[in-house]
Amino acid sequence: MTRPISLDLARLAGLVAAGLLLADCKPAGGNTASANAAAAPSAPASAAAPAMAAAPSAPAPAFQVIVTLSPAAAAQIAATGQTITVPAEFYGVPSDEHERMADQGRLDLAPEQDVVLQGAGTANFTAPQVDQSKLGQVEGGQTDVAIDISSGNHTTQNNLLNCDTFMDTSLTVAEAQPIQLNCKLIGEP
């Protein structure tokens, strides 16, 4: 028994439409900090099947760090496969002189956030969860941020980069506009 061609075409069209809807699916889980580094926008929610609920959108970053590399640094990072770590530390200057003399004159107010990039790019940071009970112990009751970029594993001579830093600056200033930090190879003029 043969089927009419119009039935086969209708069936094929339905399968193609279902395939197109699934083409933009991403596996769940495995969220890492490096995923925060400039992801491409997904299809609009109106393109999804009516029965599918829209996924919650990620919160807007509190601040951004734009990392640029000299041509030599970009080539060396690519050739060695090293990653670039962009750490953000959140602290305040202790009001008490004795505490100021300890721990580099900093009182940690929130956990450090690290974003890992595969090369030049934008590191997006979320608003830090500041320990409100410590704000009264720091000058001005403000949170400062420090960013010191490195490549490789962040603590040995394997670091290839000499980058601009963003140190001892108010979190409010960091949030005002993207922070531009330029990197070149250590020893590069």
Side-chain angles (χ1 to χ4, degrees):
M1 176 166 122
T2 61
R3 291 186 225 170
I5 293 177
S6 61
L7 179 59
D8 287 338
L9 289 176
R11 188 174 221 193
L12 180 61
L15 291 173
V16 169
L20 289 175
L21 285 175
L22 293 175
D24 196 42
C25 288
K26 310 273 187 297
N31 187 14
T32 64
S34 62
N36 283 337
S42 61
S46 61
M52 296 175 65
S57 62
F63 65 95
Q64 297 179 316
V65 177
I66 300 169
V67 179
T68 61
L69 299 173
S70 70
Q76 188 68 24
I77 291 291
T80 60
Q82 288 195 26
T83 58
I84 298 171
T85 303
V86 186
E89 297 178 65
F90 306 98
Y91 59 92
V93 177
S95 303
D96 179 78
E97 184 178 341
H98 184 288
E99 287 181 30
R100 202 171 28 250
M101 300 304 286
D103 200 23
Q104 299 178 350
R106 295 179 176 178
L107 177 62
D108 289 335
L109 298 176
E112 178 177 306
Q113 293 181 33
D114 291 339
V115 175
V116 177
L117 301 174
Q118 301 302 314
T122 301
N124 295 310
F125 291 90
T126 59
Q129 299 299 312
V130 174
D131 184 343
Q132 299 296 318
S133 69
K134 293 182 177 180
L135 283 178
Q137 301 172 36
V138 297
E139 293 178 356
Q142 80 173 18
T143 302
D144 288 338
V145 62
I147 300 166
D148 189 14
I149 299 170
S150 65
S151 69
N153 61 10
H154 178 65
T155 57
T156 72
Q157 69 274 13
N158 293 338
N159 178 34
L160 300 172
L161 300 176
N162 177 18
C163 301
D164 299 336
T165 58
F166 187 83
M167 296 289 181
D168 304 325
T169 305
S170 164
L171 180 59
T172 306
V173 171
E175 294 170 332
Q177 63 185 11
I179 302 160
Q180 178 82 38
L181 297 179
N182 304 303
C183 300
K184 58 185 180 180
L185 291 175
I186 293 175
E188 183 180 350

